[in-house]
Amino acid sequence: AQSVSQHNHHVILSEAASLELGCNYSYGGTVNLFWYVQYPGQHLQLLLKYFSGDPLVKGIKGFEAEFIKSKFSFNLRKPSVQWSDTAEYFCAVNARGNNRLAFGKGNQVVVIP
Amino acid sequence: EAGVAQSPRYKIIEKRQSVAFWCNPISGHATLYWYQQILGQGPKLLIQFQNNGVVDDSQLPKDRFSAERLKGVDSTLKIQPAKLEDSAVYLCASSLGLAGGRTYNEQFFGPGTRLTVL
């Protein structure tokens, strides 16, 4: 079964700072990769996804993630954060052909105005 | 389009009581999922339905948890009897599933039901 690791559970940064959240997974086969975001008081929403093709994926709100197969990683980045990016971010993985999503523990990101 | 609906949004019960949660997925979505999200952790899949059949319930504590999706649309998740450690947010999600020979993996989540067991 696949598992997902997210480090630095709590991240605090100022507006305009750059953000990078790490995601590593353990599974030897082909995977689909996702980043979900949960804004305060709202439900989980898809930020971006990778199924195949260009390993650099662009999502909503200026976020991007890069799939590095050799490192089993799918790190999320945003060059300049805004206060509205305060949220919890979850990385998730499923094995190709299996819809079971394995989630990481999440990163609680707080952006200070 | 309407999203995934869940009710109730909040529930407080005492241990050993029973509780049920309801989920209505996005119209046309064949696959429905129930997740448990304990505070400080990511969601953990409890059960997955494809239409009205169970695809994966390997992580469902079957001695106390049950779920059904009788008509392949809405679903209920029940806990009987509840324990203190069942306090969590219960999330329902749906995806298009298998359509036109392809599997669509993107899952859409509902707002969740926050359960507190005292």
Short mmCIF file of all heavy atoms in Angstrom, two decimals, chain B residues 72-108:
data_model
loop_
_atom_site.label_atom_id
_atom_site.label_comp_id
_atom_site.label_asym_id
_atom_site.label_seq_id
_atom_site.Cartn_x
_atom_site.Cartn_y
_atom_site.Cartn_z
N GLY B 72 -27.34 3.06 -5.25
CA GLY B 72 -26.21 3.55 -6.03
C GLY B 72 -26.14 5.06 -6.14
O GLY B 72 -25.41 5.57 -6.99
N VAL B 73 -26.87 5.76 -5.27
CA VAL B 73 -26.80 7.23 -5.30
C VAL B 73 -26.31 7.70 -3.94
O VAL B 73 -25.10 7.76 -3.71
CB VAL B 73 -28.16 7.85 -5.66
CG1 VAL B 73 -28.05 9.37 -5.72
CG2 VAL B 73 -28.63 7.32 -7.01
N ASP B 74 -27.25 8.00 -3.01
CA ASP B 74 -26.80 8.49 -1.71
C ASP B 74 -26.37 7.32 -0.83
O ASP B 74 -26.63 6.16 -1.13
CB ASP B 74 -27.86 9.37 -1.05
CG ASP B 74 -29.18 8.67 -0.89
OD1 ASP B 74 -29.37 7.60 -1.52
OD2 ASP B 74 -30.04 9.18 -0.14
N SER B 75 -25.72 7.70 0.27
CA SER B 75 -25.12 6.68 1.12
C SER B 75 -25.25 7.10 2.58
O SER B 75 -25.33 8.29 2.89
CB SER B 75 -23.64 6.51 0.76
OG SER B 75 -22.98 5.63 1.65
N THR B 76 -25.27 6.09 3.45
CA THR B 76 -25.23 6.35 4.89
C THR B 76 -24.08 5.59 5.52
O THR B 76 -23.76 4.47 5.09
CB THR B 76 -26.54 5.95 5.58
OG1 THR B 76 -26.80 4.57 5.29
CG2 THR B 76 -27.70 6.80 5.13
N LEU B 77 -23.48 6.20 6.49
CA LEU B 77 -22.42 5.59 7.29
C LEU B 77 -22.90 5.56 8.73
O LEU B 77 -23.36 6.58 9.24
CB LEU B 77 -21.12 6.39 7.18
CG LEU B 77 -19.96 5.94 8.06
CD1 LEU B 77 -19.39 4.60 7.57
CD2 LEU B 77 -18.84 6.99 8.06
N LYS B 78 -22.82 4.40 9.36
CA LYS B 78 -23.31 4.27 10.73
C LYS B 78 -22.21 3.79 11.66
O LYS B 78 -21.36 2.97 11.26
CB LYS B 78 -24.48 3.28 10.78
CG LYS B 78 -25.71 3.73 10.00
CD LYS B 78 -26.81 2.68 10.08
CE LYS B 78 -28.02 3.12 9.26
NZ LYS B 78 -29.11 2.10 9.26
N ILE B 79 -22.26 4.28 12.87
CA ILE B 79 -21.36 3.81 13.91
C ILE B 79 -22.22 3.34 15.08
O ILE B 79 -23.07 4.07 15.57
CB ILE B 79 -20.40 4.92 14.41
CG1 ILE B 79 -19.68 5.58 13.24
CG2 ILE B 79 -19.39 4.34 15.39
CD1 ILE B 79 -18.81 6.77 13.65
N GLN B 80 -22.01 2.08 15.48
CA GLN B 80 -22.83 1.51 16.54
C GLN B 80 -22.08 0.38 17.22
O GLN B 80 -21.84 -0.67 16.60
CB GLN B 80 -24.15 0.98 15.95
CG GLN B 80 -25.09 0.37 16.97
CD GLN B 80 -26.39 -0.12 16.35
OE1 GLN B 80 -26.54 -0.18 15.13
NE2 GLN B 80 -27.35 -0.47 17.19
N PRO B 81 -21.65 0.54 18.47
CA PRO B 81 -21.72 1.74 19.31
C PRO B 81 -20.48 2.61 19.13
O PRO B 81 -19.42 2.12 18.75
CB PRO B 81 -21.73 1.13 20.72
CG PRO B 81 -20.86 -0.09 20.58
CD PRO B 81 -21.11 -0.62 19.19
N ALA B 82 -20.62 3.88 19.40
CA ALA B 82 -19.50 4.79 19.22
C ALA B 82 -18.52 4.71 20.40
O ALA B 82 -18.92 4.44 21.54
CB ALA B 82 -20.00 6.23 19.08
N LYS B 83 -17.25 4.94 20.08
CA LYS B 83 -16.21 5.02 21.09
C LYS B 83 -15.60 6.42 21.06
O LYS B 83 -15.74 7.16 20.08
CB LYS B 83 -15.11 3.99 20.82
CG LYS B 83 -15.54 2.55 20.99
CD LYS B 83 -14.34 1.63 20.81
CE LYS B 83 -14.71 0.18 21.10
NZ LYS B 83 -13.54 -0.73 20.96
N LEU B 84 -14.88 6.74 22.14
CA LEU B 84 -14.26 8.07 22.22
C LEU B 84 -13.35 8.33 21.03
O LEU B 84 -13.32 9.44 20.49
CB LEU B 84 -13.47 8.21 23.52
CG LEU B 84 -14.26 8.14 24.82
CD1 LEU B 84 -13.31 8.21 26.03
CD2 LEU B 84 -15.29 9.25 24.90
N GLU B 85 -12.62 7.30 20.60
CA GLU B 85 -11.65 7.47 19.51
C GLU B 85 -12.30 7.66 18.14
O GLU B 85 -11.59 7.88 17.15
CB GLU B 85 -10.67 6.30 19.46
CG GLU B 85 -11.32 4.95 19.27
CD GLU B 85 -11.49 4.20 20.58
OE1 GLU B 85 -11.72 4.84 21.63
OE2 GLU B 85 -11.36 2.95 20.54
N ASP B 86 -13.62 7.56 18.08
CA ASP B 86 -14.32 7.81 16.82
C ASP B 86 -14.53 9.31 16.57
O ASP B 86 -15.02 9.69 15.50
CB ASP B 86 -15.67 7.11 16.79
CG ASP B 86 -15.55 5.60 16.91
OD1 ASP B 86 -14.52 5.06 16.47
OD2 ASP B 86 -16.48 4.97 17.44
N SER B 87 -14.19 10.14 17.54
CA SER B 87 -14.30 11.58 17.36
C SER B 87 -13.41 12.00 16.19
O SER B 87 -12.20 11.77 16.21
CB SER B 87 -13.87 12.33 18.62
OG SER B 87 -14.77 12.08 19.68
N ALA B 88 -14.02 12.59 15.18
CA ALA B 88 -13.30 12.91 13.95
C ALA B 88 -14.26 13.64 13.02
O ALA B 88 -15.45 13.80 13.32
CB ALA B 88 -12.82 11.63 13.26
N VAL B 89 -13.73 14.08 11.89
CA VAL B 89 -14.58 14.57 10.82
C VAL B 89 -14.75 13.44 9.81
O VAL B 89 -13.77 12.81 9.40
CB VAL B 89 -13.96 15.80 10.13
CG1 VAL B 89 -14.82 16.23 8.94
CG2 VAL B 89 -13.82 16.95 11.12
N TYR B 90 -15.98 13.18 9.44
CA TYR B 90 -16.28 12.12 8.46
C TYR B 90 -16.60 12.79 7.13
O TYR B 90 -17.56 13.55 7.01
CB TYR B 90 -17.40 11.23 8.95
CG TYR B 90 -16.92 10.41 10.13
CD1 TYR B 90 -16.95 10.91 11.42
CD2 TYR B 90 -16.34 9.15 9.93
CE1 TYR B 90 -16.44 10.20 12.49
CE2 TYR B 90 -15.83 8.42 10.99
CZ TYR B 90 -15.87 8.96 12.28
OH TYR B 90 -15.36 8.25 13.33
N LEU B 91 -15.75 12.50 6.16
CA LEU B 91 -15.84 13.13 4.86
C LEU B 91 -16.42 12.16 3.84
O LEU B 91 -16.05 10.99 3.82
CB LEU B 91 -14.46 13.57 4.37
CG LEU B 91 -13.74 14.62 5.22
CD1 LEU B 91 -12.28 14.70 4.80
CD2 LEU B 91 -14.41 15.96 5.06
N CYS B 92 -17.27 12.68 3.01
CA CYS B 92 -17.77 11.92 1.88
C CYS B 92 -17.20 12.56 0.61
O CYS B 92 -17.08 13.79 0.52
CB CYS B 92 -19.29 11.94 1.84
SG CYS B 92 -20.02 11.03 0.46
N ALA B 93 -16.82 11.74 -0.33
CA ALA B 93 -16.31 12.24 -1.60
C ALA B 93 -16.91 11.41 -2.73
O ALA B 93 -17.36 10.28 -2.52
CB ALA B 93 -14.79 12.16 -1.65
N SER B 94 -16.92 11.98 -3.92
CA SER B 94 -17.38 11.21 -5.07
C SER B 94 -16.51 11.50 -6.27
O SER B 94 -15.84 12.54 -6.34
CB SER B 94 -18.86 11.51 -5.39
OG SER B 94 -19.02 12.82 -5.90
N SER B 95 -16.48 10.57 -7.19
CA SER B 95 -15.76 10.76 -8.45
C SER B 95 -16.57 10.12 -9.56
O SER B 95 -17.41 9.26 -9.32
CB SER B 95 -14.35 10.18 -8.39
OG SER B 95 -14.39 8.77 -8.26
N LEU B 96 -16.27 10.55 -10.77
CA LEU B 96 -17.02 10.05 -11.93
C LEU B 96 -16.84 8.54 -12.06
O LEU B 96 -17.73 7.82 -12.49
CB LEU B 96 -16.55 10.78 -13.18
CG LEU B 96 -17.38 10.65 -14.44
CD1 LEU B 96 -18.82 11.07 -14.17
CD2 LEU B 96 -16.77 11.50 -15.54
N GLY B 97 -15.66 8.06 -11.68
CA GLY B 97 -15.41 6.63 -11.77
C GLY B 97 -15.14 6.22 -13.20
O GLY B 97 -14.54 6.94 -13.97
N LEU B 98 -15.60 5.05 -13.54
CA LEU B 98 -15.34 4.49 -14.87
C LEU B 98 -16.37 5.03 -15.84
O LEU B 98 -17.57 4.88 -15.64
CB LEU B 98 -15.41 2.97 -14.81
CG LEU B 98 -15.01 2.21 -16.07
CD1 LEU B 98 -13.56 2.49 -16.43
CD2 LEU B 98 -15.22 0.73 -15.87
N ALA B 99 -15.91 5.69 -16.89
CA ALA B 99 -16.82 6.24 -17.89
C ALA B 99 -16.13 6.22 -19.24
O ALA B 99 -15.00 6.67 -19.37
CB ALA B 99 -17.24 7.66 -17.52
N GLY B 100 -16.80 5.70 -20.23
CA GLY B 100 -16.24 5.68 -21.57
C GLY B 100 -14.94 4.91 -21.66
O GLY B 100 -14.06 5.24 -22.45
N GLY B 101 -14.77 3.91 -20.80
CA GLY B 101 -13.56 3.11 -20.85
C GLY B 101 -12.40 3.70 -20.08
O GLY B 101 -11.32 3.10 -20.02
N ARG B 102 -12.56 4.89 -19.51
CA ARG B 102 -11.49 5.51 -18.73
C ARG B 102 -11.92 5.64 -17.28
O ARG B 102 -13.11 5.73 -16.99
CB ARG B 102 -11.18 6.91 -19.28
CG ARG B 102 -10.49 6.92 -20.63
CD ARG B 102 -10.16 8.34 -21.01
NE ARG B 102 -9.29 8.97 -20.02
CZ ARG B 102 -9.01 10.27 -20.00
NH1 ARG B 102 -9.55 11.06 -20.90
NH2 ARG B 102 -8.22 10.79 -19.09
N THR B 103 -10.94 5.66 -16.39
CA THR B 103 -11.20 5.87 -14.98
C THR B 103 -10.84 7.30 -14.60
O THR B 103 -9.72 7.74 -14.84
CB THR B 103 -10.37 4.90 -14.12
OG1 THR B 103 -10.73 3.56 -14.47
CG2 THR B 103 -10.65 5.11 -12.64
N TYR B 104 -11.81 8.01 -14.06
CA TYR B 104 -11.60 9.40 -13.66
C TYR B 104 -11.38 9.44 -12.15
O TYR B 104 -12.27 9.12 -11.37
CB TYR B 104 -12.82 10.25 -14.06
CG TYR B 104 -12.93 10.37 -15.57
CD1 TYR B 104 -13.55 9.39 -16.32
CD2 TYR B 104 -12.38 11.46 -16.23
CE1 TYR B 104 -13.63 9.49 -17.70
CE2 TYR B 104 -12.47 11.57 -17.61
CZ TYR B 104 -13.08 10.57 -18.34
OH TYR B 104 -13.15 10.67 -19.71
N ASN B 105 -10.18 9.82 -11.77
CA ASN B 105 -9.77 9.70 -10.38
C ASN B 105 -10.06 10.91 -9.51
O ASN B 105 -9.98 10.81 -8.30
CB ASN B 105 -8.28 9.42 -10.31
CG ASN B 105 -7.94 8.05 -10.83
OD1 ASN B 105 -8.28 7.04 -10.24
ND2 ASN B 105 -7.28 8.00 -11.98
N GLU B 106 -10.33 12.06 -10.10
CA GLU B 106 -10.47 13.25 -9.28
C GLU B 106 -11.66 13.11 -8.35
O GLU B 106 -12.78 12.85 -8.79
CB GLU B 106 -10.62 14.50 -10.13
CG GLU B 106 -10.75 15.77 -9.30
CD GLU B 106 -10.84 17.01 -10.17
OE1 GLU B 106 -10.52 16.93 -11.36
OE2 GLU B 106 -11.27 18.05 -9.64
N GLN B 107 -11.40 13.28 -7.07
CA GLN B 107 -12.45 13.14 -6.07
C GLN B 107 -12.88 14.52 -5.59
O GLN B 107 -12.06 15.40 -5.34
CB GLN B 107 -11.94 12.33 -4.88
CG GLN B 107 -11.60 10.88 -5.26
CD GLN B 107 -11.17 10.04 -4.10
OE1 GLN B 107 -11.50 10.32 -2.95
NE2 GLN B 107 -10.40 8.99 -4.39
N PHE B 108 -14.18 14.68 -5.43
CA PHE B 108 -14.77 15.92 -4.96
C PHE B 108 -15.32 15.66 -3.56
O PHE B 108 -16.08 14.71 -3.36
CB PHE B 108 -15.89 16.37 -5.90
CG PHE B 108 -15.40 16.70 -7.28
CD1 PHE B 108 -15.20 15.69 -8.22
CD2 PHE B 108 -15.12 18.01 -7.64
CE1 PHE B 108 -14.74 15.99 -9.50
CE2 PHE B 108 -14.67 18.32 -8.92
CZ PHE B 108 -14.48 17.30 -9.84
#
